[in-house]
Amino acid sequence: MKTNYDITIAGSGLTGLCCAIAMSKLGYSVALVDTLSYKDLNLFNHDSRTTALSAGTKNFFHKIGVWKKIKKY
């Protein structure tokens, strides 16, 4: 298990996940730390909050390569 990272992000909410993806696309090694286990994070329905996205956020998601995977949601 790797123990040294360039960046450590606390929290796997929308902001933490987006930041981790963006930083890894820039070549940084990223540790994402959360109180939920990896298994629990993969359950699509663990978070029932609603999120509204601006056009700028959509452009950012497109730039980091995730928009095509989430636009249907």
Side-chain angles (χ1 to χ4, degrees):
M1 176 181 207
K2 185 174 180 174
T3 57
N4 293 313
Y5 298 91
D6 298 318
I7 298 169
T8 300
I9 298 172
S12 64
L14 182 61
T15 302
L17 290 171
C18 291
C19 193
I21 292 169
M23 294 295 110
S24 68
K25 297 269 183 178
L26 292 173
Y28 293 101
S29 62
V30 180
L32 185 62
V33 181
D34 197 276
T35 57
L36 292 174
S37 70
Y38 181 75
K39 178 183 173 187
D40 290 339
L41 288 174
N42 283 314
L43 297 174
F44 184 78
N45 60 357
H46 83 272
D47 188 345
S48 61
R49 292 178 287 183
T50 300
T51 302
L53 304 175
S54 68
T57 302
K58 183 244 179 203
N59 293 338
F60 173 73
F61 285 166
H62 179 71
K63 189 172 187 174
I64 65 171
V66 299
W67 181 249
K68 62 186 171 192
K69 295 180 181 183
I70 66 170
K71 68 180 179 181
K72 66 181 175 183
Y73 299 106

